[in-house]
Amino acid sequence: MTKPEDKFKKIIAHCKEYGFIFPSSEIYDGLSAVYDYGHNGAELKNNIKDYWWKSMVQYHENIVGLDAAIFMHPSVWKASGHVDAFNDPLIDNKDSKKRYRADVLIEDHVAKLEEKIEKEVTKAAKRFGDSFDEQMFRETNPRIQANRKKIDDINKRFVAALEADRLDDVKALIEELEIVCPVSGSRNWTDVRQFNLMFSSQMGSTGEGASLIYLRPETAQGIFVNYLNVQKTGRKKLPFGIAQIGKAFRNEIVARQFIFRMREFEQMEMQFFVKPGQEKEWYEYWKEERMRWHLALGIPESQFRIHEHEKLAHYANAAVDIEFNFSFGFREIEGIHSRTDFDLAAHQKHSGKKLQYFDPETNESYVPYVVETSIGLDRMFLAIVSHAYKEETLEDGSERVVMNIPPTLAPIKIAVLPLMKKDGLPEKGREIFDTLKYDFHCQYEDKDAIGRRYRRQDAIGTPYCITVDHQTLEDNTVTIRERDSMQQDRIPVEKISSIVADRIRLRP
Ligand code: ATP
């Protein structure tokens, strides 16, 4: 069986070979943690955006879209807390000279303890068979209890240290847990320091009084500062939401794992404005709704995990991560946060402008509370390709790499392939392609043997191949080949469009 890290390497290589993702500025040896999306990648990314946008804006009457600028007034970032508190605690290993996020070192240590617990449970389940009572076992097994206590103690201590800004205690915890540098294997650590993740630049020339400007580290603030504009011009009543897709920038300390952690990335965020007191109810609603969105793509539930936050961000009163089982373990793909009135109240204070809602039912004015759903587009992309990549040995002993991308997201929906490059088959193929191209993103290909063309389409995840043969010229029928089962059926040309549309339609 392929090891997860080997599979991950293969996925990265496959993404490059088939035009999904290239390292940025590759001819100059690339730029750390920055990537470009190729012809197939750009299509897949657009399809993910489209699926998200439609699910949010088109299918919810009370959610509207927004496209705010990346540059914002510098006071925005003071009000939001990013200037003072958008920091990661960093620590260096003196021997390897490698830099780490202190919180990630501790979280990885906790994840190892969690793994031990899960191994214990799996072993016991095998031993006891049908009579196994998992809950009872978890509650009474002494080794599990001991590890659970260790995890709780670490989490409590870590949260307390961060909340009190006691970075020396974070370092002490790393030392006590005997965490070693994965590269040098040593415990020779520097002190822990805070590092602000925002990129900054100057706007305007110095002559005319340049001002410090930031590249936005999240799209959410563009929504908050436009809350009143949208509410008034859209004549929106609470509860309502504003959705936005856009670039965000973070000077990540440790940028690893391909497109999982980038310095320039894209977010799909929705801020849902509610009456104070109703935020918990809406938080639960969006938690469920977002899980449904993920599962509608056909990825099994076992690949997702819900992680409730121990340490809440300065703006939240409840927060949860939806985690996906990437090749390197379960990691955050989306955050759902109950942000209270923190942001709107802060902008109201810093700008001196009222950001209140007049409630016609109660005749009161108040600052709404906010529930946020925030998903990384690139992480979603990585989840899709990681899950889709399969190496298969077929019945005849040959091998194929197939990308089981959910058909609705696939870069190319239909490949039109004349069986041979003669006898009028290419002309008929072109004719079919020219009618289908208005409904679907299609590709026409007539080079190489048909088997090789099928493999190329499998490798980019094209769900349907239409093959034009001599019979097509006689009775206007073609074969339609389905990517995953490789089953082929004969259908009339005029039915291709409706059959494919039916099969790729998705309702979250
Ligand atoms: P992490 O803990 O992994 O750094 P975060 O909690 O800082 O993530 P949020 O601020 O909640 O992330 O951002 C919302 C979403 O944006 C995340 O769920 C993730 O999908 C995405 N995201 C955040 N940082 C990055 C990044 N550097 N590269 C790619 N996607 C990111």
Side-chain angles (χ1 to χ4, degrees):
M1 221 173 90
T2 324
K3 285 202 258 156
E5 57 273 26
D6 292 342
K7 184 176 172 201
F8 191 46
K9 280 191 195 138
K10 283 184 177 175
I11 292 169
I12 297 172
H14 189 85
C15 279
K16 185 165 172 217
E17 189 181 346
Y18 286 92
F20 284 92
I21 298 170
F22 307 123
S24 155
S25 329
E26 197 187 4
I27 56 169
Y28 293 99
D29 297 331
L31 180 65
S32 168
V34 186
Y35 290 91
D36 298 337
Y37 287 82
H39 50 287
N40 286 320
E43 294 292 339
L44 174 53
K45 206 174 167 197
N46 278 339
N47 293 341
I48 298 173
K49 283 196 225 183
D50 191 52
Y51 172 52
W52 184 87
W53 189 265
K54 281 202 174 123
S55 313
M56 284 296 181
V57 179
Q58 187 173 321
Y59 305 162
H60 286 96
E61 251 182 276
N62 58 352
I63 299 182
V64 291
L66 180 77
D67 185 10
I70 288 172
F71 290 141
M72 300 186 74
H73 193 285
S75 299
V76 166
W77 305 112
K78 189 76 193 152
S80 68
H82 284 80
V83 172
D84 298 320
F86 194 54
N87 300 320
D88 273 345
L90 68 84
I91 188 165
D92 294 281
N93 182 269
K94 290 184 196 161
D95 298 318
S96 67
K97 308 270 183 278
K98 291 275 174 209
R99 178 160 287 180
Y100 299 91
R101 266 172 61 178
D103 54 330
V104 172
L105 287 179
I106 292 169
E107 274 163 21
D108 284 350
H109 184 84
V110 166
K112 279 189 199 136
L113 295 174
E114 301 266 12
E115 248 169 58
K116 276 191 189 162
I117 295 179
E118 293 315 309
K119 272 198 189 135
E120 202 81 53
V121 173
T122 317
K123 238 173 44 196
K126 264 200 199 135
R127 203 169 53 231
F128 294 116
D130 288 344
S131 61
F132 183 55
D133 181 341
E134 185 178 326
Q135 195 186 347
M136 166 94 100
F137 183 75
R138 282 182 190 274
E139 282 165 12
T140 52
N141 179 280
R143 275 191 300 270
I144 291 187
Q145 289 295 306
N147 277 330
R148 224 347 89 231
K149 180 162 179 345
K150 269 190 207 161
I151 292 173
D152 289 346
D153 289 349
I154 295 169
N155 281 337
K156 256 192 224 136
R157 168 116 178 254
F158 177 53
V159 169
L162 281 189
E163 271 170 2
D165 209 18
R166 294 280 317 263
L167 296 180
D168 51 341
D169 210 27
V170 175
K171 181 180 179 187
L173 184 59
I174 289 175
E175 285 174 337
E176 281 165 37
L177 295 174
E178 302 188 344
I179 294 176
V180 297
C181 164
V183 177
S184 68
S186 89
R187 284 188 251 146
N188 195 7
W189 297 109
T190 61
D191 286 343
V192 178
R193 283 165 293 146
Q194 290 288 20
F195 176 78
N196 192 291
L197 301 183
M198 279 199 294
F199 283 99
S200 62
S201 186
Q202 299 288 323
M203 186 176 247
S205 71
T206 10
E208 64 183 55
S211 61
L212 185 64
I213 195 97
Y214 297 102
L215 289 181
R216 68 180 177 200
E218 62 176 27
T219 55
Q221 298 304 324
I223 295 180
F224 293 128
V225 299
N226 276 298
Y227 150 74
L228 211 55
N229 282 339
V230 174
Q231 191 266 320
K232 289 241 153 86
T233 56
R235 300 154 49 98
K236 290 286 162 211
K237 290 214 168 70
L238 291 190
F240 77 95
I242 305 179
Q244 172 165 235
I245 300 176
K247 291 265 183 172
F249 305 82
R250 296 183 188 178
N251 198 2
E252 298 281 2
I253 301 169
V254 194
R256 276 180 302 177
Q257 294 153 334
F258 195 34
I259 58 169
F260 179 81
R261 189 173 298 289
M262 297 198 287
R263 298 202 163 102
E264 172 181 340
F265 58 100
E266 226 164 323
Q267 289 185 314
M268 305 191 285
E269 295 199 306
M270 194 278 299
Q271 310 294 329
F272 200 69
F273 300 91
V274 304
K275 187 173 178 176
Q278 294 183 353
E279 72 277 10
K280 284 282 159 65
E281 191 186 310
W282 284 109
Y283 170 71
E284 292 303 325
Y285 170 86
W286 282 110
K287 243 164 62 175
E288 248 176 58
E289 186 72 4
R290 293 304 302 147
M291 250 342 268
R292 230 158 49 79
W293 184 88
H294 285 282
L295 297 177
L297 288 171
I299 299 176
E301 203 166 352
S302 58
Q303 296 302 99
F304 293 95
R305 210 165 70 173
I306 291 280
H307 168 78
E308 300 277 349
H309 280 212
E310 296 282 338
K311 178 185 184 299
L312 291 172
H314 57 279
Y315 52 74
N317 70 0
V320 78
D321 293 338
I322 296 178
E323 295 184 337
F324 179 79
N325 189 10
F326 291 99
S327 309
F328 38 85
F330 278 94
R331 295 283 190 286
E332 171 177 348
I333 187 169
E334 171 157 10
I336 295 142
H337 309 126
S338 173
R339 291 182 80 122
T340 69
D341 62 352
F342 176 86
D343 303 88
L344 288 182
H347 287 307
Q348 183 166 267
K349 185 166 154 234
H350 279 76
S351 67
K353 309 269 167 29
K354 274 209 157 40
L355 292 176
Q356 298 194 334
Y357 173 76
F358 175 73
D359 192 330
E361 279 167 26
T362 58
N363 277 338
E364 322 160 81
S365 289
Y366 49 78
V367 176
Y369 269 40
V370 172
V371 176
E372 163 185 79
T373 73
S374 173
I375 174 169
L377 173 54
D378 313 271
R379 286 193 191 174
M380 186 64 200
F381 187 110
L382 184 57
I384 296 287
V385 293
S386 307
H387 182 70
Y389 182 89
K390 306 254 158 40
E391 291 171 359
E392 290 180 354
T393 306
L394 306 180
E395 271 172 18
D396 65 0
S398 64
E399 306 210 327
R400 73 163 181 167
V401 171
V402 57
M403 294 280 267
N404 301 132
I405 298 174
T408 196
L409 301 183
I412 308 286
K413 302 288 188 277
I414 303 175
V416 179
L417 315 171
L419 190 60
M420 285 182 250
K421 216 175 161 181
K422 57 180 187 184
D423 302 337
L425 300 184
E427 289 74 11
K428 182 69 184 168
R430 283 260 171 230
E431 185 192 309
I432 295 173
F433 172 85
D434 281 335
T435 54
L436 290 175
K437 72 182 180 191
Y438 296 105
D439 295 332
F440 308 99
H441 191 199
C442 302
Q443 202 170 65
Y444 172 88
E445 252 214 312
D446 59 14
K447 282 188 202 68
D448 298 329
I450 189 76
R452 288 182 66 181
R453 280 181 274 161
Y454 284 152
R455 290 292 167 276
R456 278 204 293 269
Q457 295 299 332
D458 288 342
I460 61 168
T462 305
Y464 296 104
C465 288
I466 296 293
T467 309
V468 178
D469 54 20
H470 290 94
Q471 195 181 329
T472 312
L473 303 180
E474 286 163 24
D475 63 4
N476 215 30
T477 61
V478 287
T479 58
I480 181 166
R481 172 188 180 270
E482 199 271 327
R483 177 193 67 199
D484 302 345
S485 63
M486 292 183 290
Q487 189 182 320
Q488 302 197 20
D489 296 312
R490 202 137 198 120
I491 59 166
V493 167
E494 63 276 12
K495 289 234 167 106
I496 301 174
S497 191
S498 61
I499 288 176
V500 173
D502 263 2
R503 294 193 192 167
I504 66 173
R505 184 170 299 128
L506 183 71
R507 292 267 152 80

